[in-house]
Amino acid sequence: MDTNNGSSTTDFILLGFSDRPQLERIISGLVFIFYIVTLVGNTTIILVSYLDAQLHTPMYFFLSNLSFLDLCYATSIVPQMLVNLWGPTRSITYGGCVLQFFFALDLGSAECLLLAVMAYDRYAAVCQPLHYTVIMHPQLCQKMVLTAWLGGLGSALILCSLTLKLPRCGHREVNNFFCEMPALIKMACVYSKVIEVVLFALGVIFLLVPLSLILISYGVITQAVMRIKSEARWRKVLNTCGSHLTVVTLFYGTVIYMYMKPQNSTSKDEGKFLSLFYTIITPTLNPLIYTLRNKDVKSVVKRTLRVEKWSVKS
């Protein structure tokens, strides 16, 4: 095999949790259940946000985009993972690995920006309620979402092109359950200072800056909430903002720990379980967090189910 760039025609081996076969069976069952919940939950949010006129607001426009991101993100990883867990081989084609790597970076980066956009939306809704519809007009919402998608695309193109150029010296084993950047970097037989610098710079842009903006937004929101005298409105604000903060904490906490640390300081098992959390668990929890804490979504779902039940009986 060519030691300069590896082989573009050779399959990669996804090791996953093969060193723990008993744990692997449990993980495969849990991943399958989580994936079904991800599909049902996120699809429900998208359909409900689209079909119900009451939910044609910026908040649910962003939420439906987040659900679509989570659907695509989980689907780019989980099916191949389950095939490898249940099948006789653990291989993935070079092309499949590249696509998985690219979409994971693209969608993950876009979600970082989208969560910051959602925090700004909550700031405008709580702190500028009288001007909210003027500030968050449809054209601005569409441009903000488009910026998040294009930002993720740009980040993925840069990191993919740099990572795939690294010489692998015949190494085929990816020490993870999907083709993720840290695992692919560790396959290389040379150290690349350029990738480390670029990864840190993009980490600041896509992780630390959005997180800082989110924290600032919620700092201002907290001050505004403290001045609210209406208990009903106060609870509604806390429910909505609390849902978003929970998602932010789960997503950013694990991703920052995984990508902003020096790559050599993360153990192989630690990296796998962190990846498992933000690729499998977080997309499952997002729709549950938003629907269980959101009365609007729950009431629309119940109303839709009642209509469907009545139509079936008729």
Side-chain angles (χ1 to χ4, degrees):
M1 189 180 292
D2 188 350
T3 59
N4 292 325
N5 57 12
S7 173
S8 60
T9 59
T10 303
D11 292 355
F12 287 159
I13 306 299
L14 296 172
L15 296 179
F17 301 91
S18 56
D19 56 334
R20 302 182 179 184
Q22 293 181 340
L23 181 62
E24 199 172 44
R25 297 190 189 98
I26 299 173
I27 290 176
S28 66
L30 291 175
V31 167
F32 178 75
I33 294 171
F34 272 64
Y35 184 54
I36 296 300
V37 175
T38 297
L39 293 179
V40 174
N42 286 291
T43 302
T44 298
I45 288 180
I46 294 171
L47 291 177
V48 166
S49 300
Y50 176 76
L51 295 175
D52 195 277
Q54 294 181 359
L55 302 184
H56 290 177
T57 62
M59 173 182 163
Y60 292 102
F61 173 68
F62 296 135
L63 181 55
S64 60
N65 271 273
L66 178 65
S67 293
F68 182 67
L69 270 173
D70 284 337
L71 271 178
C72 296
Y73 191 57
T75 301
S76 69
I77 296 170
V78 176
Q80 179 66 52
M81 179 183 180
L82 292 176
V83 167
N84 289 348
L85 286 171
W86 294 340
T89 64
R90 301 178 182 275
S91 64
I92 183 173
T93 64
Y94 177 82
C97 187
V98 171
L99 287 176
Q100 198 175 65
F101 175 37
F102 174 80
F103 282 117
L105 279 176
D106 181 10
L107 298 169
S109 300
E111 183 159 341
C112 291
L113 299 179
L114 185 59
L115 288 173
V117 168
M118 293 174 72
Y120 177 74
D121 172 67
R122 291 300 84 208
Y123 157 78
V126 175
C127 301
Q128 304 288 335
L130 299 179
H131 305 286
Y132 177 68
T133 55
V134 177
I135 296 173
M136 301 302 296
H137 55 85
Q139 291 78 13
L140 177 63
C141 295
Q142 292 169 7
K143 289 178 181 178
M144 294 171 85
V145 168
L146 181 61
T147 300
W149 282 97
L150 292 178
L153 178 62
S155 171
L157 288 173
I158 293 171
L159 292 175
C160 278
S161 61
L162 290 174
T163 304
L164 295 174
K165 288 179 181 178
L166 291 174
R168 296 186 297 275
C169 300
H171 298 158
R172 298 174 53 213
E173 295 183 341
V174 181
N175 196 12
N176 209 327
F177 55 87
F178 77 107
C179 292
E180 189 178 25
M181 185 173 184
L184 293 177
I185 290 177
K186 289 179 180 178
M187 287 176 62
C189 51
V190 297
Y191 168 74
S192 176
K193 183 68 175 178
V194 174
I195 285 188
E196 187 172 309
V197 172
V198 171
L199 181 59
F200 181 81
L202 290 177
V204 171
I205 295 172
F206 285 90
L207 291 172
L208 298 186
V209 171
L211 181 59
S212 299
L213 294 175
I214 290 171
L215 294 177
I216 292 171
S217 297
Y218 278 102
V220 178
I221 288 173
T222 301
Q223 292 180 341
V225 168
M226 299 302 292
R227 296 193 295 267
I228 294 176
K229 296 181 180 180
S230 170
E231 184 176 351
R233 185 165 180 264
W234 186 82
R235 287 181 178 178
K236 183 176 182 180
V237 169
L238 284 184
N239 281 335
T240 303
C241 295
S243 300
H244 185 249
L245 270 179
T246 304
V247 171
V248 166
T249 302
L250 293 173
F251 182 75
Y252 277 98
T254 50
V255 174
I256 287 177
Y257 187 80
M258 185 71 175
Y259 280 86
M260 296 301 290
K261 286 180 61 179
Q263 293 302 314
N264 293 330
S265 66
T266 304
S267 68
K268 62 179 183 178
D269 288 335
E270 183 183 43
K272 290 177 187 178
F273 284 105
L274 282 174
S275 300
L276 192 66
F277 189 88
Y278 60 74
T279 58
I280 310 298
I281 299 176
T282 302
T284 305
L285 294 179
N286 283 355
L288 296 178
I289 290 169
Y290 278 107
T291 53
L292 292 177
R293 294 177 62 96
N294 192 307
K295 292 182 179 179
D296 292 337
V297 174
K298 286 192 289 186
S299 62
V300 171
V301 171
K302 289 178 182 178
R303 189 166 61 249
T304 304
L305 292 176
R306 282 198 298 267
V307 171
E308 290 294 329
K309 185 177 180 181
W310 181 83
S311 61
V312 169
K313 289 182 179 180
S314 300

